[in-house]
Amino acid sequence: MPMTTPIANNGAGIRSKGRMTKRSMFGRQIWVHRYLYLMLLPALLFYGVFHYYPMYGALIAFKDFSITKGILGSPWAGFKHFEYLFSLDKFWDVLWNTIVISLYRLVFGFPLPIIVALLMNEIRLVAFKRTVQTIIYLPHFISWVILGGLLINLLSTDSGVVNKLIQAFGGSPVGFLSDEQHFRGTLVWSMIWKEFGWNTIIYMAALTGVNPQLYEAAAIDGANRWRRVVHITLPCIQSTIVILLILRIGHLMEAGFEQIFILYHPAVYAVSDIIDTYVYRIGLTEGRFSLAAAVGLFKSVINFLLLVAANKLARMTGEQGVY
């Protein structure tokens, strides 16, 4: 018995010392990398203030919200707004439009930056490559307010430059922005034109990490440029492609509010009205905040499930995924 107490005390002291050692090591690591953490602080504050703190407002979807009573003072409504939402034919229409436009952007827009990056990687004239890079990613920095005005001036049926050229060659004016048949295509291709250059830069950065000796060894073995692209370049940037694809799938319910809000009008609501524009109209215009919050929460849940499923599928195929 006299021997057991000191041993127990000694063990407790060792555990306490171990915990203190881990804490001191953690604190030392924070201090050593303090400047990196300071650089990270603005991003953490941004996401905390604009992404995590607003989650508190999701309670509105489960309440009969009143501006005078506030979020906490408003009475609970349960799933009443979701039941009403799913009973609306209009909701399923805007959900379908959102999915179709997003899938068009994914199918036609996602491969294009990869193709352009591969083509740019084969260019050996540095000045020409830099000039092309600047030209193709410049639209990314122009807001949709400006680009919307440019598209209206270029594509309008009456005075648009494109329709003037079509008429000059004997054709009939095309309602790119006024005809339901052409409006979705105009939305998708204008979005691709605006963003594909920026995504190309991401893939170009990934291509700089490919070991040049792999190309030299393949050339010695007799591989042409096509085989080098297929068997060296694409496998080396495969992880980057998968991560960007997962993130894109996780935003499948985001069809581009700013662009559509600027370009659409009642004549094309049937093919262009998406969840975000619908939320804007019923939330801010009609003042039905609880219903709008229910729509937004439904969209966020679907995006989250798609992100988890895409990441799970990527990990099953041997990729790391985003988490």
Side-chain angles (χ1 to χ4, degrees):
M1 291 298 295
M3 294 296 295
T4 57
T5 304
I7 292 175
N9 291 337
N10 189 30
I14 292 174
R15 289 194 298 270
S16 178
K17 185 177 180 180
R19 286 196 297 267
M20 292 302 295
T21 303
K22 292 180 180 179
R23 292 174 184 174
S24 61
M25 289 179 61
F26 178 74
R28 191 178 299 113
Q29 289 293 325
I30 294 291
W31 177 254
V32 170
H33 302 289
R34 57 188 181 278
Y35 296 113
L36 294 177
Y37 285 106
L38 285 175
M39 293 174 62
L40 183 63
L41 185 59
L44 294 177
L45 290 175
F46 172 80
Y47 279 97
V49 173
F50 295 103
H51 289 267
Y52 287 96
Y53 178 72
M55 288 182 181
Y56 165 71
L59 290 175
I60 297 176
F62 303 96
K63 291 196 169 192
D64 287 324
F65 178 71
S66 172
I67 296 179
T68 57
K69 296 179 181 179
I71 296 178
L72 295 179
S74 300
W76 288 96
F79 291 94
K80 180 182 76 173
H81 301 294
F82 291 93
E83 295 173 356
Y84 176 73
L85 178 67
F86 295 146
S87 67
L88 294 176
D89 293 335
K90 180 62 177 177
F91 170 73
W92 299 109
D93 292 337
V94 299
L95 178 62
W96 173 251
N97 289 336
T98 304
I99 294 174
V100 170
I101 294 174
S102 295
L103 287 178
Y104 280 168
R105 290 174 54 189
L106 179 64
V107 172
F108 296 104
F110 187 79
L112 184 60
I114 303 174
I115 297 172
V116 175
L118 294 176
L119 294 175
M120 296 282 290
N121 192 51
E122 298 297 324
I123 298 176
R124 296 293 174 258
L125 190 60
V126 178
F128 177 75
K129 181 189 291 188
R130 290 178 177 175
T131 302
V132 173
Q133 286 178 353
T134 303
I135 293 174
I136 63 175
Y137 79 69
L138 188 61
H140 171 78
F141 299 98
I142 303 176
S143 70
W144 272 113
V145 176
I146 298 174
L147 288 181
L150 290 175
L151 289 174
I152 292 173
N153 290 330
L154 288 173
L155 303 177
S156 66
T157 307
D158 299 327
S159 58
V161 176
V162 175
N163 276 310
K164 290 292 185 182
L165 290 175
I166 293 175
Q167 289 177 315
F169 286 97
S172 301
V174 178
F176 294 103
L177 299 176
S178 57
D179 191 348
E180 293 182 357
Q181 183 179 357
H182 300 96
F183 190 79
R184 276 182 183 165
T186 304
L187 285 177
V188 172
W189 287 111
S190 59
M191 173 61 76
I192 293 173
W193 166 69
K194 183 179 186 297
E195 298 296 340
F196 88 94
W198 178 257
N199 295 325
T200 300
I201 300 301
I202 298 176
Y203 292 113
M204 289 290 294
L207 288 171
T208 59
V210 181
N211 190 349
Q213 294 181 355
L214 297 175
Y215 294 114
E216 296 173 3
I220 293 173
D221 290 338
N224 56 25
R225 285 192 172 185
W226 172 250
R227 289 187 176 275
R228 277 177 269 174
V229 168
V230 173
H231 297 289
I232 296 176
T233 307
L234 286 176
C236 287
I237 65 172
Q238 181 177 344
S239 59
T240 303
I241 295 174
V242 171
I243 289 175
L244 292 179
L245 179 60
I246 293 173
L247 295 176
R248 183 64 191 88
I249 292 175
H251 288 81
L252 191 64
M253 303 300 288
E254 307 284 346
F257 168 76
E258 186 178 1
Q259 177 197 16
I260 296 176
F261 181 72
I262 291 172
L263 295 177
Y264 85 148
H265 47 84
V268 293
Y269 273 180
V271 296
S272 63
D273 196 15
I274 61 173
I275 290 179
D276 290 332
T277 54
Y278 183 61
V279 169
Y280 169 80
R281 287 204 311 278
I282 65 175
L284 294 181
T285 305
E286 300 178 12
R288 302 162 72 182
F289 300 106
S290 295
L291 184 61
V295 179
L297 185 59
F298 170 80
K299 183 190 74 171
S300 299
V301 170
I302 296 299
N303 278 337
F304 174 74
L305 294 177
L306 289 172
L307 177 63
V308 172
N311 188 78
K312 180 66 175 179
L313 183 61
R315 294 180 68 89
M316 291 174 60
T317 57
E319 296 295 330
Q320 292 184 349
V322 295
Y323 64 88

